[in-house]
Every structure is written in C-alpha cells, then in structure tokens.
C-alpha cells in the first residue's frame, strides 16, 4: 500500500519509530488474566472464546444486559454459590442455582435468571484471575475491633506493590452498618473514599476506614459515626465477628491502569494498551454513575454500550466512548464523564505493541 523503508539509519542508541521496537510487555495477552464473555443460552457451562488461552477465573461478575437484574459477584475466596451485589448493600447470599463452578476455561451457572437470563440481549460476564503479576488479588478477613475503639487491622494483599484501588465489602454485617461497598482510589482527595453501590461523590470518613496503603498491607478500620465498618468483631452485639472481602488492584504496564483525568467531551485517556474493560466515575459530584464498558458489547466504535455498577438498570446504548489501540476517548458531553475529574480502572485486550485497529 505504498509503504517504504526508512530513508536514514537511526543514530546509535535510538530505534526506528515503530511498535515493533517497543519493549516486550510482561503480559503479552490480556486474556491470560482477564476476559469478557457474553452469552444468551441459559444455564450451563460458559467457555471463553479467545481461541488461544485457557484461564480459570477467580472473580466472575455477571449482569443481565436486557433485564433490570442485579450485578452478581462470585469469587474463589468466598466460594461458589456465594453472591454479593455491587448495586446493593445486601449481605452475602447463598444461591444454589447461581454460579456453581469455576472451570479451567470459564464457569458454570444454574437456572437463576440473574445468571442465565435469555430475554433481551442475554448476559455479560467480566472475569479476573488473581495474580501479583497481573496486579490483582482477592483477600478475605475477619474483623477484630469492637467497632468503637478505633482499632485497625493490617491485611496482607499479596501484590508486592501498594494497591492503587481497593474495593471492600462487609459480607455479613452483624454490626448493623450501612453495608456499602467502600472504594479507595489513589487519585481521589487524600483521605476520601467512594461507595461503589451509589452515585455519591467522595466522602471523608469520621475515623479510619481504609488507612495506610503499603506494599505489603492495607489497614482497615471502622467509621462508627458513619455506620461504615471494615473491621468490626461486633463484640457489642451478638458476639459474631463480621467477615469482609477485598479486591485489590495495581497498575501493570501494558496490561492495566488505575488513573484519572480531567473530563471533557474531547478527552483522550492514554493507557498504553487497547482496553478490554473500563470502569469509570466522576468522583467530584453527587449523581455520577460507575460506568462499565467492554470490547464485546457491541464491539465496535462508537457503540460501546454501558452498564452501571451501582444500578440494576439495563444496558444503555448512549455513544459514550471510543476504545482505541492505546486508550479510550470520551465522545459525549454527558455529566458522568465530563466537567470534573474522572477516575478509572482499565484492563487490556492487548498491549499497544500488539494492538490492532478496531
């Protein structure tokens, strides 16, 4: 098509401007640790359709695209049939016909329509494999503070670097708290947190809820005045200690990125890879949804449909973003993505070195 070689040899210490000369990434294929799956065939085993890589997921998040059903999260730490919902404050439920198995290359769901809806556009599932190499881990812990002492608990996250985003939830809520999903993101105002299940902006806890963030541990405590608990043993109630689950994320060059940008209708967000999944939120206002995009629904620009992590609403077809070979671009003036600071978590389809145009 008219291409030609370089007219001049690059000087010593330099390389030609070519993706082939980029450093080899740690993770060459995103599907080694993350994959998106759509299905509409009801209950049964669901197998990833990436053609080359087998991946047994540790976190499976499913949502009906065409019905107003809840987001369902099941992970290998809590075990199969143990479900939480990112759009509610509900405690963990045992759902015998929900997610029933983690397979060597997928998962199995039962007849519960929250997991196997065949109406409308069917289902979508976002799937992570826990790995320090991929900057993602899942950890459970039991509270050891009475809820009023202000004591914190250091929980080892296993990443080897400080996590840049933490999503934590009370599984049992014996202490009678609000049961919100508490989110730490490195780019919010220092000391402030967010709630995954609401459209609220950032908030400042009355006392330590998520404290020090280190390369080994994250400290969790209780905001007794705000009725938010991440370390209560409930000794002032039934005596049954609360249990918790945490999802820990750190950026990995060429595979994942936790970041932020000042939003505008022309904003380009550089990630260094073609995203397969994006979670984004305006944190500086009340009313901002947690928007979720991926490269399977619909799978082409500009029709990247969104679901909202904080809502059971059906899939929206608003043209919000383009997914590009090295990031994503905002294509809307919608307030959820514009007018303030946007935080995001993005996971790669392919690193830029191996990405191709959509």
């Amino acid at each position: 098509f008219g291409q030609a070689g370089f007219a001049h040899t690059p000087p010593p210490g330099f390389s030609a401007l070519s993706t082939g000369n980029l450093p080899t990434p740690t993770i060459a294929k995103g599907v080694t640790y993350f994959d998106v799956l759509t299905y509409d065939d009801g209950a049964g085993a669901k197998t990833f359709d990436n053609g080359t890589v087998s991946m047994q997921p540790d976190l499976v998040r499913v949502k009906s695209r065409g019905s107003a059903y809840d987001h369902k999260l099941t992970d290998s730490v809590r075990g199969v049939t143990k479900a939480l919902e990112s759009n509610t404050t509900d405690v963990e439920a045992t759902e015998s016909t929900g997610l029933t198995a983690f397979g060597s290359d997928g998962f199995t769901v039962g007849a519960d329509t929250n997991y196997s809806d065949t109406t409308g556009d069917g289902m979508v599932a976002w799937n992570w494999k826990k790995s320090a190499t991929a900057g993602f881990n899942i950890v459970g812990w039991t509270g050891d503070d009475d809820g009023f002492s202000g004591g914190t608990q250091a929980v080892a996250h296993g990443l080897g670097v400080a996590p840049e985003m933490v999503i934590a939830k009370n599984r049992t809520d014996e202490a009678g708290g609000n049961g919100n999903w508490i989110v730490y993101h490195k780019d919010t105002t220092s000391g402030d947190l967010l709630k995954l299940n609401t459209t609220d902006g950032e908030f400042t806890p009355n006392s330590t809820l998520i404290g020090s963030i280190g390369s080994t541990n994250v400290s969790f405590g209780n905001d007794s005045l705000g009725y938010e608990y991440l370390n209560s043993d409930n000794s002032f109630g039934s005596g049954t200690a609360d249990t918790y689950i945490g999802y820990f994320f750190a950026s990995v060059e060429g595979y994942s990125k936790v970041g932020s940008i000042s939003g505008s209708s022309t904003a380009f967000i550089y990630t260094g890879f073609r995203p397969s999944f994006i979670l984004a939120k305006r944190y500086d206002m009340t009313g901002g949804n947690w928007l979720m995009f991926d490269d399977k629904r619909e799978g082409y620009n500009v029709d990247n449909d969104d679901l909202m992590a904080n809502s059971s609403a059906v899939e929206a077809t608003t043209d919000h973003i383009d997914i590009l070979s090295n990031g994503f671009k905002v294509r809307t003036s919608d307030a959820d993505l514009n007018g303030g600071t946007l935080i995001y978590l993005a996971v790669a389809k392919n690193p830029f070195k191996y990405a191709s145009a959509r």
Side-chain angles (χ1 to χ4, degrees), residues 178-199:
N178 289 325
N180 289 306
W181 289 80
I182 305 300
V183 180
Y184 160 82
H185 190 287
K186 69 180 182 66
D187 292 332
T188 56
T189 303
S190 179
D192 283 3
L193 301 169
L194 292 160
K195 300 171 186 176
L196 184 65
N197 53 289
T198 77
T199 61

Side-chain angles (χ1 to χ4, degrees), residues 29 62 72 76 79 91 98 113 147 178 181-182 188 206 209 221 236 244 249 257 259 263 305 317 332:
K29 295 182 178 180
V62 302
K72 295 290 187 176
S76 60
V91 297
T113 53
N178 289 325
W181 289 80
I182 305 300
T188 56
N206 293 292
L209 193 52
F236 55 88
Y244 303 87
F249 300 87
K257 188 169 183 181
D305 298 342
T317 58
T332 178

Side-chain angles (χ1 to χ4, degrees), residues 9-333:
T9 300
F14 293 84
S15 298
L17 184 61
S18 166
T19 55
N21 289 327
L22 292 174
T24 300
T26 302
I27 299 173
K29 295 182 178 180
V31 291
T32 306
Y33 296 101
F34 175 84
D35 209 345
V36 183
L37 177 64
T38 58
Y39 59 95
D40 60 2
D41 55 347
K46 312 302 173 187
T47 303
F48 300 131
D49 184 24
N50 56 53
T52 58
V53 177
S54 294
M55 188 266 286
Q56 180 166 327
D58 290 294
L59 169 61
V60 177
R61 177 189 190 121
V62 302
K63 174 71 176 79
S64 170
R65 300 171 62 186
S67 299
Y69 295 156
D70 295 318
H71 292 256
K72 295 290 187 176
L73 287 79
T74 309
D75 60 66
S76 60
V77 172
R78 294 180 295 120
V80 295
T81 75
K82 303 298 183 184
L84 288 166
E85 300 166 353
S86 69
N87 57 293
T88 77
T89 60
D90 292 354
V91 297
E92 181 179 279
T94 299
E95 297 173 341
S96 60
T97 56
L99 191 143
T100 59
F102 295 102
S104 60
D105 195 21
F107 56 91
T108 301
V109 295
D112 186 328
T113 53
N114 288 281
Y115 299 82
S116 56
D117 184 25
T118 57
T119 64
D121 294 315
M123 302 290 301
V124 60
W126 303 280
N127 310 269
W128 283 263
K129 181 179 179 64
K130 61 181 183 178
S131 165
T133 300
F136 172 66
N137 204 8
I138 307 169
V139 180
W141 67 95
T142 300
D144 65 4
D145 182 72
D146 66 9
F148 292 103
S149 299
T152 59
Q153 179 179 176
V155 174
H157 52 70
L159 294 181
V161 296
E164 296 170 307
M165 186 172 185
V166 180
I167 303 174
K169 173 77 169 74
N170 191 325
R171 299 169 56 186
T172 50
D173 203 18
E174 299 290 343
N178 289 325
N180 289 306
W181 289 80
I182 305 300
V183 180
Y184 160 82
H185 190 287
K186 69 180 182 66
D187 292 332
T188 56
T189 303
S190 179
D192 283 3
L193 301 169
L194 292 160
K195 300 171 186 176
L196 184 65
N197 53 289
T198 77
T199 61
D200 294 352
E202 62 181 351
F203 73 99
T204 304
N206 293 292
S207 54
T208 301
L209 193 52
I210 298 181
S212 60
I213 310 285
S215 60
T216 302
N217 299 319
V218 173
S219 64
F220 294 96
N222 303 302
D223 177 9
S224 57
L225 293 180
Y227 293 97
E228 305 288 359
Y229 303 111
L230 290 177
N231 187 39
S232 174
D233 71 0
N234 198 37
S235 61
F236 55 88
S238 68
T240 302
D242 277 330
T243 57
Y244 303 87
I245 195 72
Y247 304 123
F248 300 80
F249 300 87
S251 299
V252 174
E253 187 72 26
Y255 167 74
S256 65
K257 188 169 183 181
V258 179
S260 65
I261 193 169
S262 179
S264 74
S265 59
T266 59
F268 166 68
I269 296 89
Y270 175 80
T271 60
F273 52 80
R274 174 185 161 189
S276 180
F277 170 83
I278 300 161
L279 172 67
K281 177 177 170 55
R282 277 271 312 272
Y283 77 81
D284 58 340
M285 71 170 190
T286 296
N289 291 295
W290 291 85
L291 300 180
M292 303 173 69
F293 305 95
D294 61 69
D295 64 345
K296 293 288 179 69
R297 306 167 300 118
E298 296 289 329
Y300 52 86
N301 294 329
V302 62
D303 289 327
N304 293 295
D305 298 342
D306 74 84
L307 288 161
M308 296 177 287
N310 55 281
S311 172
S312 63
V314 301
E315 186 175 87
T317 58
T318 303
D319 295 339
H320 275 138
I321 66 169
D322 283 345
I323 294 178
L324 307 173
S325 62
N326 58 351
F328 61 100
K329 184 176 178 62
V330 177
R331 291 292 193 184
T332 178
S333 58

